[in-house]
Amino acid sequence: MNRFSRFFRDRRAAFSGLMLAVSVLFYLFFACYDGAVICVDSPSYIHMDISREPLYCMFLAGLRAAFAAAPAGAFGEDAYLTAAAFLQSLLAASAAWSLAAYLWRELELPRPLALLLLGMPLAVSLLCRFAAQRGSMYSNSILTEGIAIPLYLLFFRFLLEYFRKQSGRSLLLGCLLSFLMISARKQMLISLVMLAICILFVFFRRKKLLRGLLLAVGCAALVMGGSVLLDLGYNYAVRGEAVRHSSDGRFLTTMAFYTAEREDAEYISDEKIRELFLEIYDACDAAGYLKHSAGQGWLNRVSHFGDFYDCIQIDTMWPAVNAFVQENYGDGTVFLSEHADQVMGVINRSVIPHNLGKIFGSFLDNFLSGLITTVAQRNRILNWYSLFVYLLYLFLLACQIRRVRREGADERIAETAGLTLLSILCNVGLVSLVIFCQTRYTIYNMALFYISLLLLLYDCGKFLLVKRKRMV
């Protein structure tokens, strides 16, 4: 019996090792083939711009310092970026393997299905590299997605474990991963929302909702408090002042301009800021960037918003606000960023409350767009595919929940699919409020969606096969 158990364990370990090897070789191949890829946003992380969250800047700075300490001429000037791409690739490989191996062991899945599950994150990476014509995968791009996407897969894996087993270790790791992700990019606040919802649901099932509420609040305070302290400490070390990163409000300000009309300037009491608003508004209006210039129909509206979002924010609003602040408040990076935030805050508070209807309309447009870009690209053909695959997913999930209650089907698959759906809704909802839903912001749940769909199809097929055998 001991020999059989050892043999069984060895075979499982060998298969798990094979999955890890496949994942590592896949990501390292593209890290070697493409190298470190510099994108539009990369310089702001490399140069530790004050508008960026600290973690990724610290990651790059740490590698830069490590390579600078090497003997002169040992490495090229940008060798640390190549090292970053390789480390991100190893992280992506580990995350894809960890999630697939956990589901394989936990759900006792067939090995071919486990390989298919592993293939989902890899396939999504290939879509980014080839179908989306990016020219690189996020795993070797100098962007926060290089670490945030695999960290989210790991977070989801430990969230599942906590949801099922109420493991303190899983909760602690979930909090740690949430802290890291939020410290890398603000969008990853969705991880904290997911964590709080899971805690509340777990304690609701145990009829201890108050205890769950206290734990959720405590975890949120711990994660957010740690993120703020890291931000303050980082900026004190880099800039000599304990301040937080800036420009979080610029996304809302962009939405304020996009949905505004010229007469909304009347709501701004500060005369100078009112003139600044009109300067930016008139430039955007003349170029056709604003919502009233979008064509008719949903596809035209979301395409217009996505096409001109950066034109409003990066090409028009930022330069004007920075010039205004320099002219009126003087110089100094921290000083200027704080005043820029204050100026944008005045515009937000003055204009947004009078355009909530338009903003909600844009939110609904963006939300639908985000649901599509979570599972495919947005075009006339794939829009219909997205509708079909979501309906299929919801139908299979409803059937799974029904069979769990009536026939004892695998509840864990229903939980995985349900948490994935919740994650999609939270992420798309948050992104849709402030920015357009390009794939870069919705890709976090693409692999999870297709993994859950495969699990639902597998369990449904297994049920139908058993039912057919009984009938025979």
Side-chain angles (χ1 to χ4, degrees), residues 84-383:
F86 272 83
L87 289 175
Q88 289 173 186
S89 298
L90 289 173
L91 178 61
S94 300
W97 163 78
S98 179
L99 179 61
Y102 170 74
L103 291 172
W104 168 60
R105 292 192 307 270
E106 179 72 14
L107 303 179
E108 299 178 349
L109 302 173
R111 290 178 181 177
L113 180 58
L115 290 173
L116 279 177
L117 298 185
L118 175 66
M120 290 302 103
L122 278 56
V124 168
S125 297
L126 287 176
L127 286 174
C128 291
R129 174 65 176 79
F130 296 105
Q133 299 179 337
R134 290 189 70 253
S136 68
M137 302 192 306
Y138 286 115
S139 56
N140 59 311
S141 299
I142 305 302
L143 293 170
T144 49
E145 284 83 358
I147 61 172
I149 292 172
L151 286 178
Y152 193 74
L153 287 181
L154 285 173
F155 169 79
F156 192 84
R157 174 249 187 273
F158 287 110
L159 194 68
L160 279 175
E161 188 172 69
Y162 171 72
F163 194 81
R164 289 168 184 163
K165 299 180 180 178
Q166 292 83 61
S167 163
R169 167 182 167 273
S170 300
L171 180 60
L172 182 61
L173 288 171
C175 288
L176 174 62
L177 290 167
S178 180
F179 159 73
L180 293 174
M181 289 186 288
I182 291 170
S183 299
R185 58 183 293 115
K186 64 187 65 65
Q187 177 191 350
M188 302 321 293
L189 281 168
I190 63 160
S191 64
L192 200 53
V193 174
M194 290 288 294
L195 191 65
I197 291 174
C198 282
I199 291 172
L200 291 174
F201 192 83
V202 163
F203 279 85
F204 176 78
R205 287 194 302 189
R206 294 162 59 181
K207 298 181 179 179
K208 297 178 180 179
L209 186 57
L210 180 59
R211 187 177 298 181
L213 182 61
L214 292 174
L215 181 59
V217 171
C219 288
L222 184 66
V223 170
M224 290 305 300
S227 178
V228 170
L229 287 175
L230 179 63
D231 206 357
L232 294 173
Y234 160 78
N235 279 299
Y236 181 77
V238 173
R239 283 169 257 277
E241 294 188 51
V243 296
R244 297 205 63 191
H245 68 276
S246 67
S247 302
D248 280 353
R250 71 187 186 272
F251 302 103
L252 287 174
T253 312
T254 306
M255 181 66 81
F257 276 107
Y258 184 72
T259 56
E261 298 295 340
R262 199 174 195 277
E263 54 267 27
D264 291 335
E266 299 174 2
Y267 301 119
I268 302 174
S269 57
D270 187 299
E271 185 177 349
K272 289 184 177 180
I273 297 179
R274 187 190 313 131
E275 291 174 359
L276 172 66
F277 174 87
L278 289 172
E279 175 191 342
I280 298 170
Y281 179 89
D282 289 341
C284 293
D285 191 28
Y289 297 160
L290 305 184
K291 184 172 183 174
H292 54 236
S293 298
Q296 296 296 314
W298 170 80
L299 188 57
N300 286 328
R301 291 196 303 271
V302 295
S303 297
H304 181 271
F305 185 58
D307 290 343
F308 295 119
Y309 185 93
D310 285 345
C311 296
I312 297 171
Q313 184 183 114
I314 298 174
D315 299 340
T316 311
M317 187 181 79
W318 268 12
V321 170
N322 287 335
F324 174 85
V325 170
Q326 286 178 343
E327 180 182 344
N328 289 277
Y329 299 105
D331 204 354
T333 301
V334 173
F335 185 75
L336 287 178
S337 66
E338 289 177 344
H339 280 287
D341 285 345
Q342 291 171 10
V343 169
M344 289 187 289
V346 170
I347 293 173
N348 292 345
R349 291 190 298 272
S350 303
V351 174
I352 286 178
H354 302 280
N355 291 293
L356 291 178
K358 293 180 184 178
I359 291 173
F360 184 67
S362 293
F363 167 77
L364 292 179
D365 287 341
N366 293 336
F367 190 83
L368 180 56
S369 174
L371 291 177
I372 292 170
T373 54
T374 298
V375 299
Q377 283 188 319
R378 194 183 62 240
N379 61 50
R380 295 189 184 279
I381 296 175
L382 292 179
N383 291 348

Side-chain angles (χ1 to χ4, degrees), residues 1-13 111:
M1 186 66 181
N2 289 335
R3 184 180 300 174
F4 176 80
S5 299
R6 193 181 308 114
F7 175 76
F8 185 72
R9 285 198 305 270
D10 289 345
R11 290 194 65 184
R12 287 174 66 87
R111 290 178 181 177

